[in-house]
């Protein structure tokens, strides 16, 4: 119970720190975001109209502490400001429309990559030295070494442009508007195959090699050797004795991966013009859309912190030594 309470307190403090940093950083940047936004209108707007727009977008000359509490109130009430790029659409609406695309694409692909890499890592570690063990890690590592953007462009050119098997841009066909229909689902699925393959190829090797190395170390532990000498069945030995302990470091990595799902694979989404939050964040930076940048970074930070909290609690259940500070149980 004490461990859980400590993790919850740490989570709350981390959320407060992330929110505060998200408030401070844009205000430390050189220049005035209001002027950057309205510079192109400066010759056509009166000072009164400029001031009215600044108020609408939330720019204020009040003391910093007053702005901070106004910012906190806006976060709680869902008033995250208006997007410059999609004015007058609220930032929360833009994020809400983009987030499901990233969760669907990156989330599902990450889960597939984790389970496939971890499962194959267990297999090749148990059968180490065989053909699969000597070829698969090297091949997957070679593919992962290629930058996301390069892999995406190659797949896009070969399978999208050259052969025409898959769409080359967007998340769904123009003639199939978003709806809960089979036609839209199939269109979104077809548009997501190439981006999903790109993300899978870029992350699979890490899970495969990480689990393989953990398994090899665990298989050499005394308790595993003793269990094997006692005649424990191979499948039980691998899954219940070795894999159960070797998978613990993978869970920590999984927390980071799940947190990064929200940020999306920015380069992949940009290459495929996929309507996820990663592409929106890239566009917001290019357009100097400060409210959207703040909102996207806040969602990403909260997702990472929440994922780490869940995994910390799960880790304490899988390994009781965590709750006891490393003491034997």
């Amino acid at each position: 119970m004490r461990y859980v309470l400590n993790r919850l307190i740490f989570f709350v403090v981390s959320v407060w720190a992330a929110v505060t940093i998200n408030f401070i950083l844009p205000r430390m940047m050189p220049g005035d975001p209001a002027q950057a936004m309205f510079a192109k209108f400066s010759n056509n707007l009166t000072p009164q109209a400029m001031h009215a727009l600044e108020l609408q977008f939330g720019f204020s000359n009040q003391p910093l502490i007053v702005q901070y509490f106004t910012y906190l109130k806006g976060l709680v009430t869902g008033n995250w400001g208006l997007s410059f790029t999609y004015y007058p659409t609220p930032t929360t609406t833009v994020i809400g429309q983009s987030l499901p695309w990233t969760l669907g694409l990156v989330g599902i692909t990450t889960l597939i990559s984790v389970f496939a890499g971890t499962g194959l890592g267990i297999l090749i570690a148990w059968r180490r030295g065989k053909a699969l063990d000597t070829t698969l890690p090297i091949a997957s590592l070679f593919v992962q070494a290629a930058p996301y953007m390069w892999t995406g462009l190659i797949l896009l050119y070969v399978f999208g442009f050259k052969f025409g098997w898959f769409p080359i841009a967007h998340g769904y066909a123009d003639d199939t508007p978003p709806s809960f229909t089979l036609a839209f689902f199939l269109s979104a699925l077809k548009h997501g195959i190439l981006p999903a393959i790109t993300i899978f190829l870029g992350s699979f090797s890490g899970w495969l090699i990480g689990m393989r190395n953990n398994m090899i170390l665990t298989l050499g532990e005394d308790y595993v050797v003793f269990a094997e000498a006692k005649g424990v069945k191979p499948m039980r030995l691998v899954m219940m004795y070795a894999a159960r302990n070797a998978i613990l470091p993978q869970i920590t990595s999984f927390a980071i991966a799940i947190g990064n799902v929200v940020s999306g694979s920015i380069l992949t989404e940009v290459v495929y013009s996929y309507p996820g939050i990663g592409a929106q964040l890239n566009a917001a930076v290019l357009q100097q859309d400060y409210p959207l940048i703040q909102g996207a970074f806040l969602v990403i930070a909260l997702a990472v912190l929440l994922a780490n909290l869940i995994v910390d609690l799960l880790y304490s259940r899988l390994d009781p030594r965590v709750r006891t500070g490393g003491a034997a149980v």
Side-chain angles (χ1 to χ4, degrees), residues 57-327:
F57 279 104
F59 298 114
S60 172
N61 293 322
Q62 293 178 316
L64 195 63
I65 187 66
V66 176
Q67 295 183 41
Y68 179 66
F69 283 105
T70 302
Y71 168 74
L72 293 180
K73 180 181 177 181
L75 291 182
V76 175
T77 59
N79 181 18
W80 294 13
L82 302 178
S83 169
F84 294 171
T85 308
Y86 302 99
Y87 176 82
T89 305
T91 297
T92 51
T93 301
V94 177
I95 294 175
Q97 292 173 346
S98 304
L99 195 56
W101 291 97
T102 294
L103 292 177
L105 173 66
V106 187
I108 294 175
T109 306
T110 298
L111 289 176
I112 294 174
S113 178
V114 170
F115 284 110
T118 301
L120 285 173
I122 295 173
L123 175 63
I124 63 177
W126 178 247
R127 300 182 178 275
R128 57 189 179 277
K130 304 294 184 179
L132 196 62
D133 181 38
T134 57
T135 58
L136 188 57
I138 297 176
S140 63
L141 191 61
F142 174 78
V143 174
Q144 185 173 354
Y148 268 97
M149 181 170 287
W150 185 85
T151 303
L153 289 173
I154 293 297
L155 293 176
L156 190 64
Y157 174 76
V158 175
F159 298 105
F161 180 76
K162 197 71 175 178
F163 294 144
W165 293 350
F166 300 100
I168 61 175
H170 307 307
Y172 55 91
D174 295 336
D175 58 352
T176 310
S179 60
F180 292 100
T181 62
L182 180 61
F184 173 74
F185 173 78
L186 293 177
S187 176
L189 181 63
K190 188 175 182 180
H191 280 73
I193 289 178
L194 286 183
I197 293 175
T198 303
I199 297 171
F200 178 84
L201 293 176
S203 59
F204 170 73
S205 179
W207 300 108
L208 174 74
I209 296 177
M211 190 61 192
R212 174 190 178 275
N213 294 342
N214 294 338
M215 276 290 294
I216 290 176
L217 290 175
T218 306
L219 287 170
E221 295 287 343
D222 293 339
Y223 69 91
V224 178
V225 176
F226 180 71
E228 185 177 11
K230 286 184 64 178
V232 176
K233 293 181 179 180
M235 182 58 66
R236 179 177 175 81
L237 181 69
V238 171
M239 300 307 298
M240 298 304 297
Y241 285 78
R244 183 178 179 181
N245 291 282
I247 204 172
L248 293 177
Q250 294 283 92
I251 294 177
T252 303
S253 300
F254 183 65
I256 301 174
I258 289 298
N260 290 337
V261 164
V262 179
S263 65
S265 296
I266 297 178
L267 293 180
T268 301
E269 292 186 0
V270 170
V271 168
Y272 291 99
S273 299
Y274 198 79
I277 195 171
Q280 290 289 6
L281 179 58
N282 178 72
V285 172
L286 295 177
Q287 297 293 330
Q288 294 183 317
D289 191 340
Y290 293 94
L292 186 54
I293 294 173
Q294 276 189 291
F297 275 126
L298 182 61
V299 170
I300 293 169
L302 292 178
V304 172
L305 291 174
L306 183 60
N308 277 275
L309 173 65
I310 294 173
V311 172
D312 280 342
L313 298 179
L314 179 61
Y315 206 106
S316 68
R317 299 295 300 176
L318 295 175
D319 188 354
R321 293 172 298 179
V322 174
R323 299 195 302 269
T324 59

Side-chain angles (χ1 to χ4, degrees), residues 14-57:
S14 299
V15 169
W16 170 79
V19 167
T20 303
I21 292 173
N22 197 44
F23 167 80
I24 293 176
L25 283 181
R27 287 161 177 79
M28 294 178 62
M29 296 174 63
D32 184 355
Q35 294 299 327
M37 173 61 189
F38 303 124
K40 56 184 177 181
F41 303 119
S42 58
N43 295 329
N44 301 321
L45 294 178
T46 63
Q48 294 80 4
M50 179 74 74
H51 180 65
L53 284 175
E54 290 179 357
L55 293 178
Q56 187 176 12
F57 279 104

